[in-house]
Amino acid sequence: NPAYVMRKKRNASIMLAVKMVKEGKASAVVGAGPTGGIFAAAMQVLDTIEGLSRPVIGGPFLGFTPGTILIDMGGNVDSRPDQLLDFGIIGLVYARKWMGIQNPSVALLSNGAEEGKGNEVVKEAYQLYKKSGLNFTGNVEGDDIARGKANVVVCDGFVGNIIGKTCEGLGDVWASWLEDKLGEKLSTAELDAIKREIKQKMNPAESAGGGPLWGLNGVVCKAHGSSNAQQIASTIGAAKKAVEVDLVGSFEKGLKTVKSAINGQ
């Protein structure tokens, strides 16, 4: 268990790196180790911003719709309705500050577009969203994601992780299929370029490297364990940008504003 290991290994490199952020000796930390270990270290040392129970993972995950982000993509496999609302607020702030979308639309991922669709958690979250004051456009279905019907698509981490990895796997399968169909018609260089573009369209993180874990009280960026030098450099760039745009402060302010509106304060 990552949290147990972090308590036992107080001087693990990830713990020391995160402590430097806590103490103000560093502005951000970048790690390419196991996600669970990075999460555990960050939670123990930094905790989450005020008003958020757990950090989340999200971002643009499909190159065909760069203006759409999915949240949560694996940080929380069981989520309450109020947490799904928190995810949407965090996603909205990210879309504004990071992607430059002025009035991002937010939608819940469900098995139908109608208000009554979804499991009990989604149905209850729907009612919270209606009172949130966000640019809430209702439910979207799985096929709506690739059509870009919302800028922020909200789901729990169990569903989001499966969607992200399904798209990643489809990119690999399509690339292999094209190689079989076009291998004799295109040069090796042309075929390699097409395969690379398809994989990047279906899994932008392959080229981006990684990005910030959202909702922590400090900037922590996670890179893939198999990242090459360019991907690590890209993740460091993401950490720098998160500090420059005050992503942490913006998340905290966004949560307070929406929750105050809901509570009538």
Side-chain angles (χ1 to χ4, degrees):
N1 181 282
Y4 175 79
V5 173
M6 290 300 104
R7 286 195 295 269
K8 290 292 184 180
K9 297 187 176 183
R10 299 284 183 177
N11 290 321
S13 59
I14 185 63
M15 288 289 285
L16 297 179
V18 175
K19 284 177 182 177
M20 289 181 70
V21 174
K22 176 75 172 180
E23 295 165 358
K25 296 177 181 177
S27 299
V29 60
V30 171
T35 303
I38 295 174
F39 253 105
M43 284 291 290
Q44 283 190 40
V45 178
L46 298 173
D47 207 351
T48 57
I49 58 175
E50 184 179 351
L52 188 68
S53 59
R54 281 190 58 80
V56 293
I57 299 174
F61 78 106
L62 197 59
F64 293 105
T65 52
T68 295
I69 65 175
L70 185 68
I71 180 171
D72 184 15
M73 293 187 69
N76 307 277
V77 295
D78 292 300
S79 303
R80 302 187 307 265
D82 61 297
Q83 290 173 326
L84 290 184
L85 176 61
D86 288 348
F87 297 170
I89 299 169
I90 294 293
L92 180 144
V93 171
Y94 180 90
R96 281 179 181 165
K97 298 288 288 186
W98 197 273
M99 303 169 67
I101 301 173
Q102 294 303 308
N103 187 29
S105 57
V106 184
L108 282 165
L109 185 62
S110 188
N111 62 334
E114 299 83 4
E115 180 174 337
K117 291 289 188 177
N119 58 23
E120 290 305 314
V121 173
V122 171
K123 290 177 184 177
E124 290 184 36
Y126 194 105
Q127 299 308 312
L128 294 175
Y129 270 98
K130 286 174 66 177
K131 299 183 292 183
S132 68
L134 301 178
N135 183 17
F136 178 55
T137 57
N139 290 335
V140 294
E141 298 181 73
D143 56 340
D144 293 328
I145 299 174
R147 297 187 175 101
K149 287 197 173 181
N151 298 121
V152 181
V153 177
V154 178
C155 61
D156 65 43
F158 181 82
V159 174
N161 186 268
I162 291 172
I163 290 174
K165 289 181 178 176
T166 297
C167 289
E168 183 178 346
L170 280 173
D172 292 337
V173 171
W174 287 350
S176 297
W177 181 80
L178 276 176
E179 186 172 20
D180 291 338
K181 293 293 182 181
L182 303 176
E184 297 180 356
K185 300 178 182 179
L186 299 176
S187 68
T188 300
E190 290 173 324
L191 188 59
D192 286 346
I194 293 173
K195 288 168 58 181
R196 185 165 56 251
E197 183 173 358
I198 288 175
K199 289 184 179 182
Q200 290 177 350
K201 287 288 188 184
M202 295 303 292
N203 180 26
E206 184 173 300
S207 56
L213 303 179
W214 303 353
L216 289 165
N217 196 22
V219 177
V220 178
C221 288
K222 171 70 173 73
H224 197 283
S226 62
S227 296
N228 57 33
Q230 180 57 47
Q231 291 165 332
I232 292 293
S234 178
T235 308
I236 294 172
K240 179 175 181 288
K241 180 176 179 179
V243 173
E244 291 174 341
V245 302
D246 188 23
L247 197 60
V248 174
S250 298
F251 284 153
E252 192 166 11
K253 183 179 178 180
L255 279 169
K256 287 182 179 178
T257 299
V258 174
K259 290 188 175 184
S260 294
I262 292 174
N263 295 327
Q265 298 176 351

